[in-house]
Amino acid sequence: TDGKGLLNVRVIFVIGGPGCGKGTQCARIVETFGYTHLSTGDLLREEVQSESPRSKQLVQIMEKGELIPTRIILELLRVAMVAIPNTKGFIVDGFPREMEQGKEFENEIASCEFVLYFECSPDSMKRRLVARGETSGRVDDNEETIVKRLEMFENETKPVIEYYESQNKVKKILAEGSPDEVFAQVSNIFENLPN
Ligand code: B4P
């Protein structure tokens, strides 16, 4: 750590609307570049599976397409990160979803080097999630919840992107294309990072 209680490790935030393809691309980043992938959505779904005391509360929020309280998200991330002391860096996927998440993370856990933003139209995102809903079994892959998630993205997460843009920390990916086309852009960024 650097003496402020912060972890001294490369951290990249990955944001985009629901269905933008971030989970898909993060898996490929891990495969090709060897970073550690932490998805707040996956951490939450694991927590729900474990039937912890707060599982029910979490499912209820996710079913509505709303955001989980920040302190729960930060705690899940902190626990996951300290468990992996030796890594090239973390790609933190699905985070920050609202302004206070990013600020608190950077004050308490680690600073973020840059934000990878997957830009995609609402129509494409909706179409992808409806298709995934046919087989995913996810409580939030239904039309009503998808619409709510898209709204949450517009209202809560877009301002986060603007904030990091004002700090020149956003690297934007055009996420409408095929997974291969999108990954070509992603690779170009990762291949050119300083060590
Ligand atoms: P997430 O798990 O982050 O769900 P998501 O936004 O749907 O992203 P995901 O990574 O799963 O999907 P992807 O776009 O890759 O969040 C779920 C919920 O958890 C939130 O609504 C919230 O309640 C809660 N939550 C999570 N993080 C939180 C936080 N930080 N704070 C508060 N609450 C939080 O892929 C979607 C589909 O598109 C897939 O089927 C994929 O195969 C397909 N696809 C991907 N790329 C494609 C491409 N290029 N072309 C066509 N299809 C593609």
Side-chain angles (χ1 to χ4, degrees), residues 156-188:
E156 303 295 333
T157 311
K158 281 271 180 79
V160 178
I161 298 164
E162 284 159 20
Y163 168 76
Y164 286 106
E165 258 165 359
S166 74
Q167 301 193 350
N168 283 322
K169 276 194 173 186
V170 176
K171 295 186 194 288
K172 188 157 61 170
I173 303 285
L174 305 178
E176 289 288 333
S178 69
D180 283 346
E181 285 165 351
V182 177
F183 191 62
Q185 298 171 60
V186 171
S187 292
N188 187 36

Side-chain angles (χ1 to χ4, degrees), residues 16-25 39-42 44-45 61-62 65-68 73 93-97 101 128-129 132 138 140-141 149 175-179 182:
C20 68
K22 60 198 163 48
T24 306
Q25 295 297 320
S39 151
T40 49
D42 289 348
L44 289 165
R45 283 182 288 276
I61 298 171
M62 291 168 86
E66 291 174 355
L67 297 176
I68 306 294
I73 301 288
D93 163 15
F95 181 92
R97 285 273 210 305
Q101 291 188 357
R128 292 175 187 181
L129 293 176
R132 182 171 70 182
R138 270 177 54 164
D140 56 354
D141 281 345
R149 287 157 71 196
E176 289 288 333
S178 69
V182 177

